[in-house]
Amino acid sequence: MVASLSLPRIMRVGRGAVEELGEVMAGLGLSRPLLVTDAFLVGTGAAERLSATLTGAGVSPRLFADTVPDPTTDSLTAGLKALEEHGADSVVGFGGGSPMDSAKALALLAVQGGRMRDYKAPRVTPGPALPVIAVPTTAGSGSEATQVTVITDSDTDEKMLCLGPAFQPLAAVIDPDLTLSMPPRLTADTGLDALTHAVEAYVSRRANPFTDGLALTAIGTIGRHLRRAYADGTDTVAREATMLAATQAGLAFSNSSVALVHGMSRPIGAHFQVAHGLSNAMLFPAVTAFSVHGARARYADCARALGAATAADPDDLAADRLVDALRALCLDLAVPTPRSHGIDRDDWTRLTPVMAEQALASGSPANNPVVPTTEQIRELYARIYG
Ligand code: NAD
């Protein structure tokens, strides 16, 4: 099998890396970026500090801070206008997955036009787009390293997966100190998102030897450090480890794929405004239990990497231990069920058929070790409600 791989051309990784953003941009010959971020990062002064770093390197940024969590097509309109007014030659995505995904979408629309719906998976978009430089502030989405953006259609509430080299950042500047301000809930949600990326990349039907190594390394690192980062947000060792693992997990799934957890998670986020990592986590143990029989040896490797099973455990036992370990992790990180999260049962039941259709249409379930029917997806939604 030939694996088609796409990675950022430049990555600067480590504490203090953000100070080098201006140098990275100047080195790429980029001088007029739109700096895409959100209100939180303006409020903390982080966006202003980043702007100053750029200006110091002779780069002239314009700030655009009106991105929203789980970005929508409507939220892109003002960004596109700001980009054109500035005559931007590049886009910096500064924040969690939402500002980075907004930056990617803007970079594409500025060059190719049209609507994000036109670029929805299974279409693969090769480019061109303006260069994107990604600077993550959460240890989760991995968007800084992926050829993916996720944008919700404001007309239909569909959370659309958009894929292809057009969405691959040219450079990523990954500084774990930027994650020190994450509260425990965000730490848990984003960390569980990264763990889901790594496990799904490894069990995916599109896994390959390049992504396998990244995925297993990320699983092990998250297993050792996520509880620590959740318990003590100032633990710089745990922050540094989880940040690196999130990027590695992003590289892994972007060059393999995600699978059923992500396919079923996006509709929950879109219809009930549940944070992306949290909706993954609500599904993760049950969907893994549903899927293990399709790839016991692969799930067993994940269990061993996570520290939930030993090399001596037979695959059947190790794979089951992974399900137990995910349940325990979700419990320790206070992951609610949809019900305890406040989602109304009638709304959940009413929207289940639409969510099942949207999950299947995204293409992600087709990469799962067990490819589900629509009916099985509906049953899984019913099972996790709580
Ligand atoms: P986010 O970007 O939506 O941010 C969530 C909240 O956390 C926001 O209020 C934000 O201001 C705040 N925040 C960000 N950094 C912070 C920090 N350091 N300290 C305190 N608060 C901070 O969250 P996310 O989980 O990183 O991204 C989720 C989005 O990413 C979803 O839309 C999801 O679909 C998408 N996603 C994209 C990819 C991809 O490859 N493109 C992969 C996974 C998820």
Side-chain angles (χ1 to χ4, degrees):
M1 180 181 108
V2 175
S4 172
L5 306 172
S6 174
L7 294 82
R9 190 192 301 171
I10 294 171
M11 296 174 81
R12 296 277 172 103
V13 185
R15 298 184 66 191
V18 76
E19 299 302 325
E20 300 179 16
L21 175 66
E23 179 197 320
V24 167
M25 296 207 65
L28 289 166
L30 302 171
S31 60
R32 293 187 68 77
L34 186 72
L35 173 48
V36 175
T37 187
D38 66 18
F40 171 80
L41 290 158
V42 171
T44 62
E48 190 52 47
R49 284 194 294 279
L50 199 71
S51 262
T53 308
L54 290 172
T55 311
V59 173
S60 308
R62 169 167 170 174
L63 189 66
F64 175 72
D66 291 337
T67 62
V68 296
D70 300 319
T72 58
T73 47
D74 280 355
S75 73
L76 298 174
T77 310
L80 211 48
K81 187 161 171 275
L83 197 146
E84 278 158 14
E85 281 171 5
H86 187 51
D89 63 1
S90 51
V91 188
V92 174
F94 178 51
S98 297
M100 288 191 286
D101 281 6
S102 301
K104 293 176 177 189
L106 291 172
L108 175 86
L109 293 174
V111 176
Q112 297 206 29
R115 303 163 308 160
M116 284 314 290
R117 170 157 292 281
D118 305 332
Y119 303 100
K120 194 175 83 151
R123 177 172 169 182
V124 175
T125 306
L130 289 180
V132 171
I133 317 299
V135 186
T137 63
T138 62
S141 76
S143 180
E144 65 276 9
T146 72
Q147 45 180 333
V148 172
T149 186
V150 185
I151 305 290
T152 299
D153 189 324
S154 301
D155 295 334
T156 62
D157 276 350
E158 183 186 2
K159 211 168 171 185
M160 301 180 293
L161 177 69
C162 304
L163 302 166
F167 303 113
Q168 180 70 68
L170 178 63
V173 173
I174 298 154
D175 185 337
D177 283 355
L178 295 170
T179 67
L180 288 169
S181 54
M182 284 201 293
R185 183 73 266 139
L186 186 62
T187 301
D189 294 349
T190 51
L192 287 165
D193 189 21
L195 181 61
T196 315
H197 290 155
V199 171
E200 294 212 291
Y202 191 77
V203 302
S204 164
R205 289 166 179 258
R206 297 172 57 199
N208 57 73
F210 178 85
T211 57
D212 282 354
L214 289 162
L216 289 179
T217 302
I219 293 169
T221 306
I222 294 169
R224 288 189 300 278
H225 294 96
L226 182 55
R227 283 183 177 90
R228 269 176 68 173
Y230 177 72
D232 176 7
T234 66
D235 182 337
T236 51
V237 173
R239 290 298 198 192
E240 196 164 8
T242 47
M243 183 63 141
L244 182 59
T247 301
Q248 289 172 321
L251 283 168
F253 93 78
S254 176
N255 290 295
S256 162
S257 80
V258 285
L260 183 56
V261 176
H262 270 80
M264 290 181 63
S265 171
R266 286 183 218 104
I268 299 176
H271 294 288
F272 297 105
Q273 289 74 50
V274 178
H276 175 70
L278 194 57
S279 52
N280 280 344
M282 288 170 173
L283 290 155
F284 203 6
V287 170
T288 305
F290 169 83
S291 307
V292 277
H293 74 88
R296 285 201 169 270
R298 301 291 283 180
Y299 282 106
D301 288 343
C302 294
R304 294 185 189 105
L306 192 63
T310 68
D313 290 328
D315 285 353
D316 278 353
L317 179 67
D320 290 341
R321 288 213 165 132
L322 178 67
V323 178
D324 296 340
L326 294 179
R327 287 207 179 98
L329 183 60
C330 288
L331 203 63
D332 289 352
L333 301 186
V335 173
T337 63
R339 182 165 86 163
S340 64
H341 193 61
I343 297 175
D344 181 74
R345 182 186 290 278
D346 290 343
D347 290 344
W348 184 263
T349 308
R350 180 173 53 78
L351 283 166
T352 288
V354 181
M355 294 200 294
E357 289 302 331
Q358 291 180 340
L360 267 182
S362 74
S364 299
N367 297 316
N368 206 54
V370 178
V371 178
T373 62
T374 316
E375 191 47 41
Q376 285 172 318
I377 293 182
R378 289 185 194 194
E379 281 167 17
L380 280 166
Y381 277 130
R383 198 174 305 159
I384 65 145
Y385 178 74

